[in-house]
Amino acid sequence: MYVSDQVREVERLHRDLFTDSFRQLPIRDQLDQQAHRIVDGHKAGDRAVVTHITCWHPKMVCHSADDIMNSNFTLDDARQTIAREYGFADWADVEARGASPPDPAFELAVDTLLSGDVERLRGLLVSNPSLVHQRSSFGHGSTLLHYVGSNGVETYRQRVPMNLAEIARLLLDAGADVNSTANMYGGGSTALGLLVTSDHPAKAGVTGDVRKALVDAGAKED
């Protein structure tokens, strides 16, 4: 399993939040708790918040860690940041669309995929074949195959099992649409596009094998 230092720090910041009871909360409540954690971390000088903010804040994208930590960062800033990280347009969009919890079966499938447990994922797909076509309840609307790209989804989930190519082939064999698009980065994102623009699979050394699996299945290259 490859997990970057930045993703590990984000995991550390939120680790105690992601309990079973937390996962049963409406999406807006889950994201609100994460927003409070980010603003509290910023106040405490915890630089784990930098990855969230520099990647997703509408006005501080690509700002330096020093600029971010020295800024006047409010709860509204944190809410806008976490909303965009989860693929919503803004916090108002979260409030409008986040009244229900995310689908637990899909969330389990994502967690299983990212753990690298191929056999358990295969079993989930056999027992519920529609999972391979289902979309995340979060704003980005990703399918399971989009999570193979390790890009544009929840930061703590941008982790790379070393058997990622095998996982991609399993999803494709189960009927995943290789050219399906999701709503990250303005929309139109494919699994292949996310993969080849992500540092995480590249640093894990798996981009080539996963790309081949996607292209062999008919992925369109720009």
Side-chain angles (χ1 to χ4, degrees):
M1 178 72 66
Y2 171 80
V3 186
S4 72
D5 291 342
Q6 293 86 352
V7 172
R8 288 190 188 279
E9 282 294 282
V10 168
E11 288 179 331
R12 175 187 60 75
L13 182 69
H14 298 283
R15 183 172 290 127
D16 63 304
L17 287 181
F18 292 105
T19 62
D20 290 341
S21 58
F22 175 88
R23 288 172 174 267
Q24 294 169 20
L25 294 172
I27 286 171
R28 64 188 175 203
D29 293 346
Q30 290 191 26
L31 270 58
D32 192 51
Q33 288 194 28
Q34 290 179 70
H36 277 85
R37 180 60 55 88
I38 292 169
V39 78
D40 289 347
H42 185 272
K43 288 177 181 177
D46 188 338
R47 291 196 169 213
V49 304
V50 169
T51 296
H52 285 297
I53 299 165
T54 195
C55 291
W56 298 109
H57 188 277
K59 295 182 179 178
M60 287 189 271
V61 168
C62 297
H63 280 218
S64 70
D66 287 342
D67 283 349
I68 287 169
M69 297 309 295
N70 291 327
S71 68
N72 178 26
F73 192 78
T74 67
L75 179 58
D76 182 64
D77 287 313
R79 283 173 170 162
Q80 300 302 333
T81 297
I82 202 71
R84 287 160 56 88
E85 179 174 330
Y86 278 72
F88 295 95
D90 51 27
W91 188 252
D93 192 23
V94 174
E95 292 279 10
R97 295 199 285 149
S100 300
D103 181 80
F106 184 84
E107 292 296 294
L108 175 60
V110 174
D111 290 340
T112 302
L113 184 163
L114 296 175
S115 75
D117 190 338
V118 172
E119 290 311 312
R120 188 181 187 199
L121 181 59
R122 191 190 313 277
L124 293 175
L125 294 173
V126 168
S127 63
N128 186 359
S130 66
L131 276 173
V132 79
H133 304 295
Q134 191 170 332
R135 291 185 176 272
S136 170
S137 306
F138 297 123
H140 50 69
S142 295
T143 65
L144 292 175
L145 191 65
H146 288 104
Y147 280 90
V148 170
S150 306
N151 188 0
V153 293
E154 309 86 275
T155 299
Y156 79 97
R157 279 176 156 166
Q158 294 182 29
R159 48 197 298 120
V160 184
M162 300 308 291
N163 60 346
L164 193 60
E166 183 181 2
I167 290 168
R169 287 191 292 269
L170 170 63
L171 294 172
L172 292 163
D173 289 345
D177 179 355
V178 73
N179 291 307
S180 177
T181 60
N183 298 325
M184 54 281 282
Y185 304 123
S189 295
T190 64
L192 180 60
L194 294 167
L195 172 78
V196 299
T197 55
S198 177
D199 282 345
H200 303 309
K203 289 181 178 177
V206 301
T207 297
D209 289 342
V210 180
R211 178 184 172 279
K212 184 177 187 306
L214 297 172
V215 170
D216 287 349
K220 298 175 182 176
E221 298 183 272
D222 294 335

